[in-house]
Each structure stands twice: as C-alpha cells, then as structure tokens.
Amino acid sequence: MWCCVLLFAMAWAIWWLLRDRQTISGLSDKHVFITGCDTGFGNLLAKRLSRKGFQVLAGCLTQSGADDLQKACPLGLKTTLVDVTSQDSIAKAVEWVKTEVGDRGLYGLVNNAGIANPIGPTEWMTVQDYRKVMEVNTFGTIAVTLAFLPLLKKAQGRIVNMASILGRLSANGGGYCVSKFAVEAFSDSLRRDIQHFGVKVCIIEPGFFKTAVTDLDSIERSLQKLWDQMPPETKRSYGETYFQQYLKVQRIIMNFICDPDISKVPKCIEHALQARYPRTRYSPGWDAKFVWLPASYMPAFIVDAALAFVLPKPEQRVC
C-alpha cells in the first residue's frame, strides 16, 4: 500500500517538474507592460525581460526613473510615465500601449507598483494612512487591470499581480497587509472570471527583500511621524519605552530576515510570463517558504502568541 503511494507521489512530482519547465516560444512578438519600474523588482524585471527577448513597455512614476531605465536598456524596451492612482494617467498609458502592440494585443501585464508606509501598530494609524497605501497597492492594481483587460483578452495574455506573503498573514498594522490581502482576493476572483478568454492570472507573494519598501530609515521616519502626531493619551498608554523597543525589535527582524538577492522575485515573474503552464502562486524568499507560509496555516492563537512574544508590551496593559 505504502509503496504504491510513494510511487504515485514520485511519478506526480516528476510529471509536475517536467510540466513546470515547459516554456512558450516567439517572445519577440510579445509585449509586456510593467508598472513601478523606477526601482526595485520592476526595474530589474524590465531589464531581464528585455534581455530575454520580450518587448518591454515599462511604466515609471518619475521622468528620471524612465530616463535611467531607457539608458540602461536601449533595445527591446520603451518607457512611459504612469501614476496608478490617476485614472487619466492610466488612460494615457493604455492609449500608448495600443499604439505599440497594434492588433496583436498585450501579452503580459505586471502590476508591480506598490508602497508600504506607514506600517506599525494599528492604533497609531488614521483612516487616511490606510487609504494612501490601498490607493496604490489595491485600487491601482484593480484600475490598471480593468483598463488593460480588452488588450489582454485580444492576446489571450497573462496578468501577474504583486501581492505579498503578508497577504496571507497579517503581521503588522497599517494599510500594507490589508492591501495585499485585497490583491489576493481580487486576483483569485479575476482568474476564475476570465479563464474562459484564455487569460491567465498569477500571484507573486514575496517574502522580505532589501528594497525601498523595506528600507529601515524610511520605515522609522514614518513611525516617528506617527508617534509625534499621536494624541497624548494614546501615547501615554504605550509609553516612550515601547516606542524605542519597537524600533529596536524592528531593526533586528528586518536586518535578519531581509534577503539581499532581489532577483528571486523577477525570476518568478519571468516564469509566470514564459512558462507554458504558469503557477497560480509564487512565494519567493526563504522566509516566505519556511516562516510566513507555514505560519499562515497554523491556528491563530499560536501566531498571536509568537508575535506577542517578539513585540514589546505597552505600559498600560491588562495583565
């Protein structure tokens, strides 16, 4: 009995590996539009795809980012400015892409643009703090996707949405985890709704990598601003010691857990675009695979206890 089960598992694993390695051809005829290409994952992805032979259409937020990327990749790549929080900017990007792709349609859309700050204890936030992050990460992803869907259906293309492993498990307050949970839900419903048109939807769930999103100086400046503007009563309930300890714990965790090899994320996106049978979800990063993903399946009380052990305790708390 067990021998049969083992043989079946081995046969399935071999079949999956062989299937997973099959790729498509004719990359030079395929256009891919990427948002958030100024720096980080998007910037590196645009360069990798252009070297692979894709026709890359890179959306940048700033002119300097667009100029630098164009200089780095003069062939197989074109840039444009796009602000995913502006419907007018998205509409202009769609018209620009239409002129580039012609009747072939758009093969790939990568919703990479995103921000994280402010992150921190939930009570320190305002509703506007949540809106600021979700406007980019969630509504920006939704708006761009809906605008490009007709072109993607024409090419029977692929949509790759940048979520996060923190879209599986909410480890901190602020709009980041909330926005990434929403991206997961949007991507799942979108995948089921448009599969009949030959359009595939993939979700990227990175762990912690050394990018602008995880820059400690930026995170700490944001936290300091939250702390300074907090009502005195709320501030007293936490205590000055809590704030300093929170910063210290955060530094230790981020310095330990952040992976400096950010190429792991673009490699996953590249597979999602180039594989004949792309995966539904990719979780690049050792922490994503061995910490956050397993923790997301654990009972909530275990995860709550672990985070409570790691994080500092407020001064005015129920003992």
Side-chain angles (χ1 to χ4, degrees):
M1 174 64 179
W2 289 110
C3 288
C4 292
V5 173
L6 182 60
L7 287 173
F8 175 79
M10 290 176 62
W12 181 87
I14 293 170
W15 170 82
W16 186 88
L17 286 171
L18 292 174
R19 185 176 185 270
D20 192 59
R21 293 186 178 184
Q22 294 183 45
T23 58
I24 60 172
S25 58
L27 302 185
S28 60
D29 294 328
K30 291 177 169 53
H31 290 78
V32 179
F33 182 72
I34 311 166
T35 64
C37 291
D38 299 73
T39 59
F41 300 142
N43 187 275
L44 185 56
L45 175 66
K47 295 172 181 176
R48 286 179 64 93
L49 293 184
S50 66
R51 289 195 294 267
K52 279 281 184 177
F54 282 101
Q55 299 300 310
V56 178
L57 306 174
C60 297
L61 181 62
T62 65
Q63 188 62 57
S64 60
D67 292 342
D68 291 343
L69 181 56
Q70 191 66 77
K71 290 176 184 176
C73 297
L75 300 176
L77 183 147
K78 295 182 180 180
T79 61
T80 190
L81 297 181
V82 62
D83 178 356
V84 300
T85 67
S86 166
Q87 200 63 50
D88 288 341
S89 179
I90 294 171
K92 290 177 182 177
V94 170
E95 291 305 314
W96 176 73
V97 170
K98 280 182 181 178
T99 63
E100 294 294 331
V101 302
D103 295 332
R104 287 169 296 189
L106 180 64
Y107 173 74
L109 169 65
V110 181
N111 284 303
N112 168 73
I115 60 173
N117 287 327
I119 58 174
T122 300
E123 192 180 11
W124 298 14
M125 305 289 163
T126 65
V127 171
Q128 189 55 43
D129 291 328
Y130 281 85
R131 288 198 178 106
K132 173 186 174 184
V133 177
M134 295 189 71
E135 195 66 39
V136 177
N137 297 359
T138 303
F139 297 115
T141 293
I142 294 172
V144 170
T145 301
L146 295 179
F148 280 100
L149 264 181
L151 290 175
L152 289 157
K153 287 167 66 177
K154 183 178 290 187
Q156 295 187 340
R158 299 183 181 184
I159 300 168
V160 183
N161 288 336
M162 183 68 73
S164 169
I165 202 63
L166 295 186
R168 294 281 200 106
L169 186 149
S170 187
N172 52 256
Y176 186 76
C177 293
V178 178
S179 71
K180 295 305 184 179
F181 266 80
V183 169
E184 294 268 354
F186 170 69
S187 301
D188 280 338
S189 59
L190 176 69
R191 182 182 67 254
R192 291 158 188 152
D193 290 340
I194 64 172
Q195 62 179 323
H196 309 290
F197 299 101
V199 179
K200 294 180 172 63
V201 180
C202 302
I203 306 169
I204 311 296
E205 303 171 334
F208 284 63
F209 287 87
K210 286 188 180 297
T211 65
V213 169
T214 57
D215 178 64
L216 269 174
D217 290 338
S218 175
I219 293 172
E220 290 182 5
R221 283 196 302 270
S222 176
L223 277 169
Q224 185 68 58
K225 182 179 178 181
L226 293 175
W227 179 257
D228 292 341
Q229 68 186 20
M230 200 182 304
E233 183 180 353
T234 306
K235 190 179 292 188
R236 283 195 300 270
S237 70
Y238 285 90
E240 183 67 33
T241 302
Y242 178 93
F243 178 63
Q244 297 302 326
Q245 288 179 340
Y246 191 94
L247 292 177
K248 182 179 178 180
V249 169
Q250 185 171 249
R251 289 189 204 107
I252 293 171
I253 293 174
M254 297 294 272
N255 285 327
F256 170 72
I257 209 168
C258 282
D259 191 334
D261 183 11
I262 69 170
S263 68
K264 293 174 181 176
V265 177
K267 284 178 183 176
C268 288
I269 301 174
E270 185 180 309
H271 184 276
L273 292 168
Q274 194 174 352
R276 187 172 298 279
Y277 305 103
R279 307 171 201 170
T280 301
R281 282 177 166 81
Y282 297 79
S283 301
W286 68 267
D287 60 314
K289 293 180 176 66
F290 301 113
V291 179
W292 304 111
L293 195 56
S296 70
Y297 291 101
M298 291 181 180
F301 77 91
I302 295 178
V303 180
D304 292 351
L307 291 174
F309 176 77
V310 171
L311 295 173
K313 309 294 186 294
E315 287 186 5
Q316 298 177 17
R317 67 183 190 275
V318 177
C319 299

